Amino acid sequence: MKPLHALSISEVHAGYLNKDFTCVELVKHFLKRIDKYNPKLNIFLDLNENALKQAAEVDIEIAEKGIDRELLGIPMAIKDNFLTVGISTTASSNILKGFMPQYESSVTGKLLAAGAIFLGKTNMDSFAHGSSTETSDFGPTLNPWNPEKLPGGSSGGSAAAISAQLATAALGSETAGSIRQPAAWVGVTGLKPTYGRAGRYGCIAMASSTDSPGPLTRSVADAALITRVISGEDPYDATTSPTPVEDYPSFLNRKDLKGIKIGLVKEYLMSSMSEDVKKLILDAADKFRELGATVEEVSLMDPKYGIGVYTVVQRSEVSSNLARFDGIRFGNSRDTFCQESKRRIMLGTYTLSAGYYDAFYKKAEAVRTKMIDEFAEVFKTFDAVIGAVSPTPALSVGATKDQPMFGEMEDVLVEPSSVAGLTSVGLPCGFVDDLPIGLQITCAQFQESKAIAIADCFQRNTDFQKFPDLDKTL
Amino acid sequence: MKITPLIGLEVHVELETKSKMFCGCPADHFSKAPNTQTCPVCLGLPGALPVPNKKAIESCIKIGLAVNCSINRLSKFDRKQYFYPDLSKGYQISQYDEPFCSEGFITLDSGKKIGVERVHQEEDTGKLQHTNLNGEKVTLVDFNRSGVPLVEIVSKPDMASSTEAKEYLKKIHEIIRAIGVSNADMEKGQMRLEPTINVCIENESGTHYTPLVEVKNINSFNFASQAIDFEIKRQVEEFEKTGIEKTPTNKTTRGYDAIKKVTFLQRTKEEAKDYRYFPEPDIPPFIIEDEVVEKLRRELPLLPHQEISSLEKIGVDAKDAKILVSLQNRVAIQIIHDYSDDNRVEVNKLASLIVNGKLDPAEHVLVQYEKLTKVGNTDTAELSKIVQKIIDNNPGIVAEYKKGKTNVLGFFVGQAMKETHGSASPQALTKILKEKLDS
């Protein structure tokens, strides 16, 4: 039998029903692993002290009624920007150190309603400002594959929790790459839903116009299940869509990809990309052909424009979203913002200032519209576009030092799809220097089912979803 | 030298919706225990998001329609950013360049049209209380008002005197009350006024405009009028002294001291705020279809000027019609219309009796009317009896009258009025009294 920490959601449920183990046993198992590995990896910032009590309740429920909730007894790791009643929420910032939320975020509320058990809150870049977890005020998370490397970010803690097998599934959020990029660097699956698919209420805002909550998981199948749970119109978030939520797990297990047309984005195979990474992407393209899909090169706007647009829009929104942390009613004073947050507040304040608004924000919005139109045009012909998530494997701890645009350079390949509000699955497609490399499969808005079907077919027909042996890597 | 004041007005009106602008908290905040009507949204807690109140937006559009605005098909909310402890999010959700309503007007009694530049939707802030707590000077914040829907009506600088400004304000006030979106109670702060004033001076050296002055947060029509008059005088004097003219950047903000009856400087251009407006990303833009606008237009009641003319048409005196409409005495207006075809009643008399408080329109109108008109005008025999009784009971005062102290007549009239419960006409009484006393 597989160890308890290596089970998928459906395997956990099968184990409960077979009475192979109880929920209390599973939660205890994870808490023990967290106790052992967390001091080294710095993945969890705070643990849910009621986890075992909740697990005992789950065991009673299963004994009485079986499993009639989708995530019943599934131990999860939650990114620290989601407000969770009873577990402190800081967005990895000193300004919110010790903050106890007064209300539950919409998506964590849905996860709880589906029966999930939160093990704890995971480290992230402070206020999600970064792609490494190095901007966290509580120290960086380390990459389970190699503790000298970064896990990526901003959902680095949640991604590493899956890679290190410290939880069955995890919740993250992506503004531009914050799910897919850490998933790629630690070698797990991450799904960024369409903007407006899952509610943002209770998710500490980074860039309001692109923030999207989404899962980090052991497989596309697990991601499909969690995406179904967290999706749907949120009465507390006016930007969520009334588009009906599809039954994502029903799109899994597709035999082949016949009839699927995939675009390989030319501009995303950048010259600065290492040959090894490029080769893995071209190999993946061949794999898709082998599975029956047609793969053709397609041209999109140079991704560098994505950086420009994203930087202006996101900094502007950040400067505004962080204004409420005025140190009067909750939290610490504003000087406890980390350097990166301060930098973003300054830049955003500047781009919104009288006389600069037209030159920066308005122009960025215009380019953004152009990017959205361009993707729409591509998706008239193609079901999905693919490319690398990140031009490099995980970089070394300390790499962000003196590089204020570090995140943007790392996220160059994921920012255009985020700016356009598309859905995308990131999943492992091989290794370079013993570090995982991520592939992204991006589809049009609200085409989660298509992205899931394609990603799942690829994943089941390849063998890249691996987990490090922590006793060897650490 | 010719002086022409240019006066514009910004009027803020708190809407009386059930819930606040962007959350489910009750909007009625007046004299509620502090911070009892709050939630994550209006407290601006981390992660909280605004969801717009449809009813409030409809009210805003109704106000726009009532002041003859066109309703923009495309609108959006924007963030207006500044720091103040009563502003929970660090920004106010307002409308910048795409308000719900623009380009309307209000017609004054003179026929002059005052342009309305825009009517837009925003949210109110919390309230600060400066007080003493355990011997310490403290400032407390009450967020009950935070997020209450606020509509801002911005006029063009078309008014040329405080009288015109006051008339414009009264008309806005009547309209708001007539369409039922707010009581616009000035004492409760439901309607707040901010005049912007400057003066066009034409003299031998040409035409000059004095710098713009905005006077903040006035809560009475009279204070607004006084502040405007004070500013006109002050600006002319200031110009004569300094010759400083208006530039695109030298607008200042002043407050009004109602006790000293003066305005005082609050903020100069060096301190002018840059609000760093940008589109509110948490609320998608609005497309308001013509059908929605037409539906709201149909829901509008008769507006004050329409109601006044409908009363005049059935014979009510213009003066009385205006009073009835400005008091928004719905029952009375209805009763007067109901009796307009009844030949037992003269509509102008009925209206005047109601306006003078003699006839209660909520009681048996016809009975009251007949009694009042009978006693007051026809039944002199009855009055004569009453008057005789009073004369008989007060021989001393009668003696004084006979000595030439004619002002005691007022005493007799008063007594008679008391006796008739105010239903007699003072003129008729005086006539009878004089007849009897002089005989």
Side-chain angles (χ1 to χ4, degrees), chain A residues 29-73:
Chain A
H29 178 81
F30 276 124
L31 291 177
K32 226 156 102 192
R33 274 181 75 81
I34 291 169
D35 202 38
K36 184 170 176 195
Y37 299 114
N38 198 55
K40 174 90 193 183
L41 292 171
N42 195 29
I43 289 170
F44 284 94
L45 297 175
D46 193 14
L47 294 177
N48 174 14
E49 49 188 41
N50 293 314
L52 278 170
K53 197 176 132 240
Q54 289 160 2
E57 286 163 10
V58 166
D59 284 329
I60 294 169
E61 182 178 335
I62 292 173
E64 282 173 358
K65 296 192 280 187
I67 295 176
D68 61 358
R69 292 198 278 163
E70 291 169 291
L71 298 175
L72 188 62

Side-chain angles (χ1 to χ4, degrees), chain A residues 46 83 150 332 382:
Chain A
D46 193 14
L83 269 66
L150 293 166
N332 297 310
F382 293 92

Side-chain angles (χ1 to χ4, degrees), chain A residues 103 200 202 320-321 324 329 354, chain B residues 43 45-48 79 88 274 282:
Chain A
Y103 69 104
R200 293 182 290 121
S320 173
N321 287 335
R324 68 185 61 193
R329 284 164 300 134
Chain B
L43 285 175
L45 291 183
R79 291 187 183 176
S88 61
D274 175 0
D282 289 330

Side-chain angles (χ1 to χ4, degrees), chain B residues 71-76 97-100 285-288:
Chain B
I71 308 305
N72 298 315
R73 192 170 181 275
L74 211 74
S75 297
K76 65 174 169 65
D97 51 355
E98 290 174 21
F100 286 123
F286 296 83
I287 294 171
I288 296 162

Side-chain angles (χ1 to χ4, degrees), chain A residues 56-102:
Chain A
E57 286 163 10
V58 166
D59 284 329
I60 294 169
E61 182 178 335
I62 292 173
E64 282 173 358
K65 296 192 280 187
I67 295 176
D68 61 358
R69 292 198 278 163
E70 291 169 291
L71 298 175
L72 188 62
I74 299 302
M76 288 189 71
I78 308 294
K79 188 177 180 180
D80 200 34
N81 58 347
F82 290 96
L83 269 66
T84 44
V85 172
I87 318 173
S88 77
T89 300
T90 68
S92 285
S93 73
N94 270 328
I95 199 166
L96 279 177
K97 195 174 180 180
F99 177 71
M100 292 301 284
Q102 291 81 351

Side-chain angles (χ1 to χ4, degrees), chain B residues 175-206:
Chain B
I175 287 172
I176 301 293
R177 289 166 58 90
I179 59 178
V181 295
S182 172
N183 250 326
D185 188 332
M186 310 279 289
E187 277 175 18
K188 288 185 185 174
Q190 288 179 316
M191 184 164 163
R192 287 163 249 161
L193 321 170
E194 287 172 1
T196 295
I197 307 134
N198 74 332
V199 181
C200 172
I201 298 169
E202 289 163 85
N203 58 16
E204 57 288 347
S205 68

